[in-house]
Amino acid sequence: MYIQTRKNEFPAVSAEEEHNRFADMTSDTAANLAAELESASRLRAARFFVTQRPWLDLYGINVRPVAPVGSVSGKPYVDPALIHMRLPDELLLEIFSRMTPYTLGRATCVCRKWRYTIRIPVFWRNACLKAWQVSGLTENYKILHSKYDGSWKKMWLLRPRLRTDGLYVSRNTYIRAGIAEWKISNPVHIVCYFRYLRFYPSGRFLYKNSSQKVKDVVKCMNFRATKADCVFSGQYTLTEDKVDAALLYPGLRPTVLRIRLRLRGTTVGANNRLDLLSLVTSGVNDAEASGPDEEILGVVEGWEEDETHNPDVPAISHRRGLTPFVFVPFDEVGTSVLNLPVDKMDYFVPG
């Protein structure tokens, strides 16, 4: 009786039913495994195509804006930086007011407070009025509101202007035949010379043509230069991006040098290139040569390219030595590549 009860509790299972049950379990396991493999492959593909940026999670955490100078916010803010705790805002403004615009641009990269402070329009207004002082105060304000939406900084960046914190240098080369020795070789020499321009905000400029390097010429490019330095002064005007300049070579046969340039920049606001459009030498009479150097541009204004007022000095339009001028700041004249000799840089591409 006991054995019979146990048999009824666990009824016998045939071999075919056992096989079908195992097949069902295997198919379920295979389906689950296929789904897991597909999801894993999709995850790997997503990680491959989407770049992980863990720093995005830091946005909004421990980021507190710095109140600019003169903020009207009633909540006081204590800057944790030591220099800002020890240096009052009045002294900081005084330091910034004595910086050049290009130094101010570098100072904006120091910290957030300096960037907010340098946005004050007074810094850029002073720089603009000094750069275009020849135009006059009224004309500068008209241009400011008509073309640059009343932004002095935008005017400084977008309006063409001649830089006065360095020299414009044009490097020119030509090949000269040497002396044949023993009829075996006929050497050639690469001759290198430079044209130097230094502009002043008052409308005057200095010009020098020399074979000396820029690090040696910068010492004499000023109005205190002697006649032995061969530095000549003239006058220029800037109209949009065109520069018209003229200077007088004194002597028994006075000669005027007329220069026409186009101003451009490799980046916005750089103004570090001058394309030489024309270079003309003409003769002037004694009455025109006796006037001051500052008025020579008005004398030759409206002249034709082949016009001369002295028959002994014909008008010559020079076609060689018209390499574009490259701007070199005063603090980089000692390290500029233009100081390299010809054997290390036989040709220079201004860009």
Side-chain angles (χ1 to χ4, degrees):
M1 188 65 182
Y2 175 78
I3 296 176
Q4 184 66 30
T5 304
R6 298 295 296 175
K7 285 182 179 181
N8 292 337
E9 268 184 6
F10 303 99
V13 180
S14 63
E16 184 177 357
E17 293 177 355
E18 187 70 23
H19 177 72
N20 293 336
R21 185 182 300 173
F22 180 76
D24 294 338
M25 294 175 60
T26 305
S27 61
D28 295 340
T29 304
N32 296 334
L33 182 61
E36 292 179 0
L37 290 176
E38 184 178 0
S39 62
S41 62
R42 289 180 179 177
L43 182 59
R44 286 195 299 268
R47 290 181 178 178
F48 178 78
F49 288 109
V50 180
T51 306
Q52 294 183 0
R53 298 179 176 88
W55 56 86
L56 293 178
D57 298 335
L58 299 177
Y59 281 6
I61 301 178
N62 296 330
V63 176
R64 181 173 48 186
V66 177
V69 176
S71 176
V72 297
S73 176
K75 186 178 179 180
Y77 174 75
V78 179
D79 199 323
L82 181 60
I83 185 174
H84 297 152
M85 295 173 62
R86 296 289 183 264
L87 187 65
D89 292 340
E90 293 78 8
L91 292 181
L92 189 63
L93 291 174
E94 183 65 24
I95 293 173
F96 287 157
S97 64
R98 299 176 183 270
M99 289 184 178
T100 63
Y102 291 93
T103 308
L104 285 175
R106 298 188 185 100
T108 56
C109 303
V110 174
C111 65
R112 189 180 293 107
K113 180 176 181 178
W114 286 23
R115 185 172 73 250
Y116 281 126
T117 306
I118 294 174
R119 288 179 181 176
I120 298 177
V122 65
F123 300 130
W124 305 102
R125 183 192 63 187
N126 296 338
C128 291
L129 295 180
K130 182 179 180 180
W132 294 286
Q133 61 180 269
V134 178
S135 302
L137 183 64
T138 305
E139 184 65 22
N140 283 324
Y141 270 93
K142 289 180 180 179
I143 296 175
L144 172 70
H145 293 286
S146 62
K147 295 184 178 181
Y148 304 105
D149 303 327
S151 174
W152 290 104
K153 186 175 181 180
K154 185 177 180 180
M155 180 177 176
W156 174 264
L157 292 175
L158 301 182
R159 186 180 178 184
R161 56 184 166 73
L162 289 168
R163 297 183 60 173
T164 59
D165 56 332
L167 302 178
Y168 287 93
V169 186
S170 173
R171 185 181 188 271
N172 302 274
T173 56
Y174 65 92
I175 296 177
R176 178 175 62 84
I179 302 176
E181 298 178 358
W182 300 100
K183 305 298 182 182
I184 297 176
S185 61
N186 188 14
V188 295
H189 302 283
I190 299 180
V191 182
C192 178
Y193 68 96
F194 301 86
R195 302 184 192 272
Y196 296 98
L197 289 172
R198 180 180 180 181
F199 295 94
Y200 289 86
S202 60
R204 301 183 65 187
F205 77 100
L206 297 176
Y207 175 81
K208 181 178 176 63
N209 194 0
S210 173
S211 61
Q212 294 178 314
K213 301 296 187 296
V214 59
K215 62 180 180 181
D216 302 321
V217 172
V218 69
K219 305 173 185 177
C220 62
M221 289 296 290
N222 51 65
F223 286 104
R224 299 185 302 272
T226 62
K227 292 184 178 180
D229 295 325
C230 297
V231 177
F232 302 94
S233 64
Q235 189 181 14
Y236 76 90
T237 58
L238 176 63
T239 306
E240 295 297 333
D241 61 341
K242 298 297 188 298
V243 182
D244 292 309
L247 62 92
L248 182 66
Y249 286 122
L252 296 178
R253 296 189 301 176
T255 305
V256 62
L257 176 64
R258 292 179 287 162
I259 310 173
R260 187 168 177 81
L261 306 154
R262 181 176 63 243
L263 179 65
R264 61 183 176 90
T266 54
T267 58
V268 177
N271 297 299
N272 54 358
R273 295 293 187 271
L274 279 174
D275 295 327
L276 196 51
L277 302 180
S278 65
L279 188 67
V280 181
T281 54
S282 305
V284 293
N285 54 41
D286 296 337
E288 295 169 340
S290 60
D293 296 341
E294 293 80 5
E295 298 179 359
I296 190 62
L297 185 62
V299 172
V300 301
E301 186 178 2
W303 282 23
E304 299 293 335
E305 186 173 346
D306 56 349
E307 183 175 353
T308 180
H309 290 188
N310 189 343
D312 296 333
V313 183
I316 300 175
S317 179
H318 300 271
R319 301 301 179 187
R320 295 184 179 181
L322 302 181
T323 306
F325 286 84
V326 177
F327 183 78
V328 181
F330 287 131
D331 54 354
E332 297 180 9
V333 293
T335 58
S336 175
V337 295
L338 295 173
N339 294 313
L340 295 176
V342 177
D343 56 348
K344 292 186 178 180
M345 186 176 63
D346 56 351
Y347 191 72
F348 176 68
V349 181

